[in-house]
Amino acid sequence: MDKGNVNAWGGVLAHLEALEVHVHEAAVKQQKKKLQEEKLARLKARVKELRLQRDELQAKVDLQEKKQLETEGATSHAAQASPKAVLQWKIKSLQAMLQVFNLTGISGKLTRQGVCFCISTAYEGTYLDSYYLDLLLTNSEVQIYHHSVPCFIPLEQIAKQYLQTDIRRFLSVLSNHLNAYVGRRYQAEQLQEHFSDQINGTLQRNSLYNLLVFNYNVSSKSKTFPFNVRLRYGDLCHSLPTEVIVSCTPDAPASLTETATAHSDLFRRMPLHKAFRSFSNAGESLNGTP
């Protein structure tokens, strides 16, 4: 076999090896994608199941409170009773509440002075933080004794609105605020952890993570253009933004203006890190054209 044939044969072998590597990588990627889809389906089913259990438990709490009110002669009668009777009625109501709260992410135990609640937070099936709240029960009112709720959560406002009239509602609203906060924080952390090479500069945010500003690069025809993103979360009980602004430089091609609009729509509908992952899955490149 002459030298030319040897080189040609070697080129064919190298091409075959490259094809085998490509096929193997594609198979691994497909398997990984399939496993992620199966995991997502299981998590969605679990969330649906937990929400159903939550609704059933809340219905039980409503029924139990109604029976309790009937037994005690309604709230107005309890208010006219002796201070000791009022305090006992509050303790009984809390005991009934604690029995059915566990599956909602809120647990608690009675203490000498009142009750200590633990609000566990999670985002998309990932446990994040727990926050504690000690309530002091007196004859006249319920007071917050100690707590670990961050200072930027509107605890005082929520307490003023619900604590004296509906403790269950108070805990539910507070839990919604905390879960939304950790959800927004989790998204920002995931973005920085997994897409730091695509972010241009530092992600700017406030303590509540309801305002995020950052830049990322998009390339067109071998030229890079920075995209600026501003996300505002007007509803503090939710983890998706209510206002999204994605802009690019004036000299960017018209096609990138369309891309900015598409990205803006994704940021409104998807968690931040999943929106970035969606760019890659769609074959778009944040650092260069495919």
Side-chain angles (χ1 to χ4, degrees):
M1 186 179 292
D2 57 31
K3 185 175 181 180
N5 289 336
V6 170
N7 290 337
W9 180 248
V12 171
L13 288 177
H15 184 63
L16 288 174
E17 289 177 356
L19 286 176
E20 289 178 352
V21 170
H22 179 72
V23 169
H24 176 71
E25 290 177 348
V28 170
K29 186 176 180 180
Q30 183 67 24
Q31 180 65 18
K32 185 177 180 180
K33 182 179 179 181
K34 182 179 179 182
L35 292 174
Q36 288 177 339
E37 289 175 349
E38 292 175 351
K39 182 179 179 181
L40 180 60
R42 289 195 301 269
L43 288 174
K44 286 183 177 179
R46 181 58 177 162
V47 168
K48 185 177 180 180
E49 179 185 347
L50 288 175
R51 283 177 177 170
L52 181 61
Q53 290 177 344
R54 179 198 62 190
D55 294 341
E56 291 176 350
L57 289 172
Q58 288 182 345
K60 289 181 180 179
V61 170
D62 291 338
L63 181 61
Q64 201 155 6
E65 286 182 347
K66 183 179 179 181
K67 291 180 178 179
Q68 185 69 35
L69 287 173
E70 291 174 352
T71 301
E72 298 292 337
T75 308
S76 59
H77 293 172
Q80 296 171 2
S82 66
K84 183 178 180 180
V86 172
L87 184 57
Q88 289 177 343
W89 180 81
K90 289 181 179 180
I91 293 174
K92 281 186 178 181
S93 297
L94 285 172
Q95 287 176 327
M97 216 185 303
L98 293 177
Q99 291 175 4
V100 293
F101 251 144
N102 286 333
L103 289 180
T104 65
I106 303 174
S107 59
K109 62 179 181 179
L110 293 176
T111 64
R112 284 187 176 182
Q113 296 176 313
V115 61
C116 177
F117 286 103
C118 173
I119 300 177
S120 299
T121 60
Y123 187 72
E124 294 190 326
T126 300
Y127 168 78
L128 296 173
D129 296 320
S130 289
Y131 299 93
Y132 296 89
L133 192 74
D134 276 319
L135 298 182
L136 178 63
L137 299 182
T138 67
N139 298 335
S140 58
E141 62 180 4
V142 181
Q143 298 176 357
I144 298 176
Y145 187 57
H146 289 302
H147 70 85
S148 63
V149 176
C151 60
F152 41 79
I153 298 294
L155 176 61
E156 184 176 346
Q157 178 183 343
I158 300 170
K160 183 178 181 181
Q161 189 170 2
Y162 300 111
L163 184 58
Q164 304 305 324
T165 58
D166 191 342
I167 293 181
R168 182 168 62 87
R169 179 65 175 163
F170 163 74
L171 292 171
S172 177
V173 172
L174 179 58
S175 176
N176 289 340
H177 274 267
L178 290 170
N179 275 281
Y181 154 66
V182 298
R184 296 190 297 267
R185 186 191 66 190
Y186 177 78
Q187 292 177 57
E189 291 173 348
Q190 289 294 299
L191 179 67
Q192 292 175 301
E193 179 179 349
H194 298 291
F195 301 97
S196 59
D197 57 329
Q198 299 169 0
I199 301 299
N200 183 15
T202 304
L203 184 147
Q204 302 176 44
R205 49 82 178 177
N206 58 358
S207 299
L208 198 52
Y209 284 85
N210 66 326
L211 179 63
L212 302 178
V213 179
F214 59 93
N215 299 315
Y216 63 98
N217 294 327
V218 174
S219 298
S220 177
K221 297 180 180 179
S222 301
K223 188 175 180 180
T224 300
F225 297 89
F227 272 25
N228 176 264
V229 182
R230 179 184 175 90
L231 306 178
R232 190 178 75 85
Y233 300 78
D235 188 343
L236 297 181
C237 288
H238 287 82
S239 55
L240 290 179
T242 55
E243 179 184 328
V244 178
I245 300 176
V246 180
S247 58
C248 51
T249 55
D251 59 332
S255 60
L256 289 188
T257 303
E258 296 175 0
T259 300
T261 301
H263 288 189
S264 176
D265 181 61
L266 286 175
F267 288 137
R268 290 180 184 274
R269 297 186 293 105
M270 302 176 63
L272 187 54
H273 55 293
K274 289 191 175 182
F276 266 76
R277 189 172 296 119
S278 178
F279 300 160
S280 301
N281 291 342
E284 296 181 17
S285 174
L286 300 179
N287 291 317
T289 56

